[in-house]
């Protein structure tokens, strides 16, 4: 069973696993940037489809793809309620179409984008059209775009961690930070800290799960009860977790000291990284994705009207 957990490597023989870790790390940053610069929901949907396909190739697990949607979904429900309270739709006069007026007081009533006027239609207003609580077009576009962005970032980060061994990930970060050595920046120390942090993520998750089971066997209820009871249960979990974390950190420090680790010593490289045909093919695909996003962002480029209507940066 493949359980793709953030920070935990899954040993599979896939196309994504065989890519150069430096390329995967840079692509991870690139995709996160792309998720936050696109301003059309349809373009964002294409990026989500691409990253979900890569995730399925890397993990071979459809179930975990939907599990990753759980946390963004809860966040989105809260954001939807906030947007319904803060975004007011356009109220057309009775029997006439809505015509935007220059200098209108409510900036959320419409937006003019690429020669098209996008009206913020009201789809649902349970307390009346003049009330603040409304479900409008811009409310849906903004909320869904935030859902896609959070979900995309989670998938992108998970792809990097599940398909790259921590030692290769550390090496990739070290190679990418190599130019900083020109200004005497301690890149080896930084990469060692990042490597230890990445290794501790799955360890602490396993430790938290073990503590929760131990406390549940003693009668602690983490799921039910009042807020006060849940707070006490959380303290019962977090305190032993911190104690275990500091204990493991001390053991690791003693082990590194006993082996003669010197953070300022010159380092040699046992594993050699190289570019192969998979990396070259992936670079061309990435260039195609970046070109697609760039074209969609250029205002002088003609896009279909239904594509323009998914504009959500208002």
């Amino acid at each position: 069973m493949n359980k793709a957990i953030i920070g935990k490597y899954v040993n599979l023989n896939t196309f994504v696993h065989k890519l150069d870790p430096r390329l995967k790390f840079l692509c991870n940053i690139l995709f996160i940037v792309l998720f936050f610069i696109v301003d059309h929901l349809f373009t964002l949907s294409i990026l989500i489809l691409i990253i979900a396909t890569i995730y399925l190739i890397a993990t071979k697990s459809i179930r975990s793809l939907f599990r990753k949607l759980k946390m963004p979904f809860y966040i989105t429900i809260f954001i939807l309620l906030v947007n319904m309270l803060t975004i007011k739709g356009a109220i057309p006069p009775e029997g006439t179409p809505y015509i935007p007026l220059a200098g209108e007081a409510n900036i959320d009533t419409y937006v003019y984008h690429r020669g098209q006027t996008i009206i913020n239609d009201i789809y649902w207003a349970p307390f009346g059209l003049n009330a603040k609580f409304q479900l409008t077009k811009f409310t849906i576009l903004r909320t869904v775009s935030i859902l896609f962005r959070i979900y995309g970032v989670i998938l992108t980060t998970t792809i990097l961690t599940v398909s790259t061994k921590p030692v290769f990930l550390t090496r990739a970060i070290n190679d990418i930070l190599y130019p900083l050595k020109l200004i005497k920046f301690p890149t080896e120390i930084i990469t060692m800290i990042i490597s230890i942090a990445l290794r501790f993520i799955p360890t602490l998750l396993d430790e938290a799960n073990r503590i929760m089971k131990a406390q549940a066997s003693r009668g602690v209820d983490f799921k039910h009860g009042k807020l006060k009871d849940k707070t006490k249960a959380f303290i019962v979990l977090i305190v032993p977790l911190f104690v275990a974390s500091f204990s493991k950190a001390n053991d690791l420090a003693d082990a590194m000291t006993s082996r003669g680790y010197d953070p300022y010593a010159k380092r040699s490289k046992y594993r050699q990284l190289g570019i192969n045909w998979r990396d070259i093919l992936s670079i061309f695909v990435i260039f195609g994705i970046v070109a697609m996003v760039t074209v969609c962002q250029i205002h002088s480029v003609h896009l279909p009207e239904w594509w323009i209507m998914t504009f959500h940066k208002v």
Side-chain angles (χ1 to χ4, degrees), residues 82-97:
V82 173
N83 286 338
M84 290 179 70
L85 287 170
T86 56
I87 301 176
K88 187 172 177 60
I91 305 175
E94 261 187 63
T96 60

Side-chain angles (χ1 to χ4, degrees), residues 111-314:
V111 62
Y112 188 74
H113 178 64
R114 296 198 182 188
Q116 300 289 336
T117 301
I118 307 175
I119 306 297
N120 188 17
D121 299 318
I122 299 176
Y123 297 142
W124 184 54
F127 304 110
L129 294 178
N130 292 316
K132 289 185 176 181
F133 193 74
Q134 299 176 351
L135 180 65
T136 66
K137 178 188 289 185
F138 291 170
T139 300
I140 296 174
L141 289 176
R142 289 183 183 182
T143 306
V144 175
S145 67
I146 292 174
L147 169 64
F148 281 0
R149 283 170 175 168
I150 297 174
Y151 186 50
V153 170
I154 292 175
L155 290 184
T156 305
T157 309
T158 307
I159 290 171
L160 177 66
T161 54
V162 302
S163 65
T164 311
K165 292 181 179 179
V167 63
F168 287 119
L169 187 57
T170 305
R171 173 68 187 282
I173 297 172
N174 189 33
D175 289 351
I176 293 171
L177 296 179
Y178 186 81
L180 295 178
K181 286 186 177 181
L182 299 176
I183 57 175
K184 305 297 182 180
F185 191 80
T187 57
E188 285 87 2
I189 297 177
I190 298 301
T191 53
M192 178 58 68
I193 293 172
I194 295 174
S195 175
I196 293 174
L198 290 174
R199 288 173 181 267
F200 258 78
I201 291 174
T203 303
L204 291 180
L205 289 176
D206 292 339
E207 186 70 21
N209 189 33
R210 186 185 65 81
I211 294 173
M212 286 183 67
K213 290 181 178 178
Q215 298 292 0
S217 66
R218 293 177 173 88
V220 178
D221 190 359
F222 292 96
K223 296 182 179 180
H224 306 94
K226 299 180 180 178
L227 180 62
K228 183 179 179 181
D229 299 329
K230 290 184 178 180
T231 304
K232 290 182 179 180
F234 181 75
I235 295 174
V236 171
L237 168 66
I238 205 69
V239 172
L241 186 60
F242 267 99
V243 173
S245 301
F246 286 119
S247 177
K248 290 181 184 296
N250 288 330
D251 293 341
L252 179 61
D254 293 339
M256 295 175 70
T257 302
S258 65
R259 288 169 173 80
Y261 174 74
D262 184 4
Y264 297 98
K266 187 177 180 180
R267 309 221 113 23
S268 59
K269 298 177 181 178
Y270 172 71
R271 295 174 176 84
Q272 300 297 326
L273 300 178
I275 302 294
N276 55 37
W277 66 269
R278 298 181 186 86
D279 302 317
I280 297 175
L281 178 62
S282 300
I283 290 173
F284 279 110
V285 173
I286 293 298
F287 277 144
I289 296 172
V290 173
M292 183 269 295
V293 173
T294 304
V295 168
C296 294
Q297 293 297 110
I298 299 175
H299 283 231
S300 58
V301 175
H302 177 73
L303 293 174
E305 183 179 348
W306 55 267
W307 194 316
I308 295 175
M309 288 299 171
T310 62
F311 177 76
H312 57 261
K313 283 187 178 179
V314 293

